[in-house]
Amino acid sequence: MSGPDVSVEQHGEHVAVVCLHRPPNNYFDTALIAAVASAYESLDESGWCRAIVLASEGRHFCAGLDFAANAGQDIAELYRAGLRLFAAPLPVVAAVQGAAIGGGCGLALAADFRVATPGSRFSANFARLGFHHGFALTVTLPATVGRQAAADLLLTGRRVGGSAALALGLCDRLAPDGEGEPLGTALAYAGELAAAGPLAVRSIRATLRRGLVEEARSAMAHECAEQLRLRDSADFAEGVRAAAERREPRFSGS
């Protein structure tokens, strides 16, 4: 189940860590998301795994898709791979160190739970790029923080630190900043999930997430269409340039 960009390790009797290995920012593409989905599916078939921790190597959890380097990325194909994450039957705890930005925020929200630290940062920064959000954030962000807070986060693209994320519900537990965190706390959290009755956990989780895959599929189809429409805009080109140059964007509305 391991590869150069995604590894799988067993921790204890019933917990697995699926780790991204594209430091420091762990940008994703279709191949990486498909590899994570395949790892989830293989762990479900393993018989021993009851809970998964999604982690990453390096400074940041995930900065989403690198638009500057992946201008020709087939977004529909990417979201087909992403939909497999929502369909996976095992509970997932995301260990969010550093930043979860753009699609990386979407990846974190595809998990059942998130553990962060005070130094973690979450941002659905698409509007700051002159772009439409994706990765089913249409569904997952309002479900996690409420409709009004989701609108604030999506329309401003602002960053939220770990303590504020906990207050909003963007993360479920806050680990202290320090060596081994938030992975250590996420492993303990996954251990609690794995210690519960596995048949009951699957059944309860399936009930709670009933209809989620269909909602995510519909949301991703609309998000993809809007992203394709805006990808050729002058504002998106300016947003990507501004991000690369670490300056404020100057949008023209065209």
Side-chain angles (χ1 to χ4, degrees):
M1 289 185 287
S2 295
D5 293 327
V6 176
S7 67
V8 179
E9 292 186 2
Q10 183 172 352
H11 282 256
E13 190 174 0
H14 296 299
V15 174
V17 174
V18 176
C19 189
L20 312 182
H21 296 284
R22 288 186 179 176
N25 295 317
N26 291 294
Y27 288 115
F28 63 54
D29 54 16
T30 298
L32 185 69
I33 296 301
V36 173
S38 294
Y40 285 6
E41 292 158 2
S42 295
L43 287 167
D44 175 53
E45 296 168 359
S46 70
W48 60 265
C49 186
R50 298 180 183 178
I52 296 169
V53 171
L54 178 63
S56 56
E57 177 189 0
R59 182 179 178 185
H60 298 299
F61 173 72
C62 180
L65 181 68
D66 185 351
F67 291 108
N70 292 276
Q73 173 72 62
D74 185 334
I75 297 174
E77 182 183 14
L78 171 65
Y79 289 164
R80 281 193 293 272
L83 193 64
R84 293 167 57 194
L85 303 180
F86 291 92
L90 292 174
V92 178
V93 180
V96 180
Q97 86 281 8
I101 303 294
C105 186
L107 177 60
L109 285 168
D112 298 81
F113 307 102
R114 286 148 297 283
V115 175
T117 73
S120 300
R121 302 187 305 281
F122 294 82
S123 176
N125 69 331
F126 298 89
R128 298 283 299 169
L129 297 173
F131 205 46
H132 193 283
H133 61 273
F135 220 96
L137 281 164
T138 299
V139 174
T140 57
L141 193 56
T144 303
V145 303
R147 183 180 181 88
Q148 194 68 13
D152 169 45
L153 295 173
L154 288 170
L155 293 174
T156 66
R158 67 183 180 91
R159 293 190 175 192
V160 177
S163 297
L166 181 65
L168 277 172
L170 265 176
C171 69
D172 302 278
R173 297 187 184 181
L174 201 63
D177 284 317
E179 186 175 353
E181 294 294 353
L183 179 58
T185 299
L187 284 168
Y189 199 168
E192 292 180 36
L193 298 170
L199 298 181
V201 167
R202 282 175 178 259
S203 178
I204 293 168
R205 183 177 183 270
T207 298
L208 292 173
R209 292 166 70 93
R210 184 172 53 187
L212 176 60
V213 173
E214 290 73 21
E215 290 178 18
R217 179 183 290 111
S218 177
M220 284 178 169
H222 176 77
E223 291 165 356
C224 179
E226 288 301 297
Q227 288 184 329
L228 291 174
R229 183 175 70 85
L230 294 177
R231 188 159 64 177
D232 295 328
S233 69
D235 274 357
F236 178 54
E238 164 61 12
V240 172
R241 277 196 305 271
E245 295 169 6
R246 298 184 180 276
R247 60 171 173 82
E248 287 295 307
R250 296 183 291 270
F251 294 125
S252 64
S254 60

